[in-house]
Amino acid sequence: MSLALSLARGAVTSPFKRAGRPGATLPAGRLRLPAAPLAPGRLAAYRTICGFPATGPLPVTYPHVLAFPLAMRLMTRRDFPLPVTGLVHTWIEIAAHRTLRPEDLLELTVYAQELSPHRRGTEVTVVTEARLAGALVWESRSGYLSRHATRTETAAPAAAAAPLPAVAEWHLPGNLGRRYGAASGDRNPIHLHPLTARLFGFPRAIAHGMWTVARCLAETPDPAALRTVRTEFRAPVLLPGTVTYATDGTAFELRGGEDGERVHLTGTGTTG
């Protein structure tokens, strides 16, 4: 099934799904995408919008983009318990077991691992794996939140640590979500236009979480050497807007708001 058809199916089926339903289960099995050459134009657009070098190894976040059609197919299945429309990416962990290159023919697998209560709704963990000639070379775990009223008592986020040293200020245009959506294929309506974002409780369109983390990782001294990444998306980045990128060399964060103290994202990246 094409990504466009998955998006259409998600729009049709989402109103009939109720997040937080007792006894909800996840679909069994795994979805697979056979190895195929990368589309160079799409990769070039992704490198540009995220700030990665124009040539060289594959950005550490790019297998997630390649597997996005599989994730959408999974999350729009009739037996997937959460409505895909309005799902918010809350965190991601990445483990790259080797440096990947554009010519690598990656076999991709996606599956749903667990449902968890969240203080703002229900969260699903989705696993993505990339293999090269059968060997696992890259993997990730992502959390996606379906917001709904809940009485479940879960822990609130820990208090913010001392701010990291500010390095750069980025001015984000109002069309950033549409531009990243074109490069990545992620056209969730909360990212595209103020009107569609307001339907899901946001005052304006918000930046993709995967753009924010990729943009931060592109600023590291050697993005190709990254081996593990852990990022939590703490608060949406409204578009247009201005954010501050801060880092101590290992940990990083994006801050914003009128006082510059609202934390949008925190993360760490290690090399090897």
Side-chain angles (χ1 to χ4, degrees), residues 53-71:
T55 59
L58 207 63
V60 70
T61 48
Y62 201 62
H64 179 92
V65 173
L66 295 175
F68 181 72
L70 281 184

Side-chain angles (χ1 to χ4, degrees), residues 4-255:
L5 286 176
S6 292
L7 290 167
R9 184 171 68 174
V12 170
T13 60
S14 286
F16 300 98
K17 296 184 178 183
R18 182 169 64 87
R21 176 173 53 85
T25 59
L26 291 168
R30 303 183 177 205
L31 300 181
R32 292 179 172 84
L33 192 66
L38 299 186
R42 185 179 177 188
L43 174 58
Y46 181 83
R47 290 183 188 272
T48 298
I49 193 67
C50 296
F52 286 108
T55 59
L58 207 63
V60 70
T61 48
Y62 201 62
H64 179 92
V65 173
L66 295 175
F68 181 72
L70 281 184
M72 282 299 301
R73 193 187 312 170
L74 171 71
M75 293 188 288
T76 57
R77 284 174 49 161
R78 184 169 298 179
D79 56 352
F80 190 81
L82 305 180
V84 69
T85 305
L87 275 183
V88 177
H89 201 175
T90 48
W91 57 271
I92 186 169
E93 295 175 342
I94 295 173
H97 303 303
R98 51 158 285 183
T99 298
L100 300 179
R101 299 194 173 277
E103 61 268 24
D104 290 337
L105 301 179
L106 299 176
E107 310 153 13
L108 302 170
T109 303
V110 170
Y111 61 94
Q113 189 174 65
E114 64 178 326
L115 285 172
S116 306
H118 187 281
R119 63 191 181 92
R120 292 181 177 173
T122 300
E123 190 174 74
V124 61
T125 299
V126 175
V127 178
T128 300
E129 298 173 346
R131 287 178 168 78
L132 185 60
L136 183 66
V137 293
W138 183 100
E139 56 189 315
S140 73
R141 298 172 69 249
S142 287
Y144 295 93
L145 172 66
S146 180
R147 300 189 301 171
H148 59 83
T150 178
R151 296 181 181 178
T152 302
E153 294 295 331
T154 57
L164 296 174
V167 173
E169 187 175 79
W170 299 334
H171 301 285
L172 312 182
N175 68 349
L176 176 62
R178 295 189 291 278
R179 292 172 58 202
Y180 180 82
S184 69
D186 185 351
R187 292 182 172 87
N188 188 322
I190 63 177
H191 304 302
L192 303 182
H193 297 279
L195 179 59
T196 53
R198 283 196 291 270
L199 295 175
F200 301 97
F202 299 101
R204 302 197 301 275
I206 65 174
H208 293 72
M210 284 306 297
W211 178 85
T212 61
V213 65
R215 184 68 186 88
C216 290
L217 296 176
E219 290 294 308
T220 61
D222 187 4
L226 288 164
R227 288 295 175 264
T228 65
V229 175
R230 165 74 195 193
T231 298
E232 294 187 11
F233 306 111
R234 300 277 295 275
V237 176
L238 298 177
L239 300 173
T242 299
V243 293
T244 298
Y245 166 68
T247 183
D248 63 3
T250 300
F252 56 87
E253 65 186 16
L254 282 185
R255 301 193 299 264

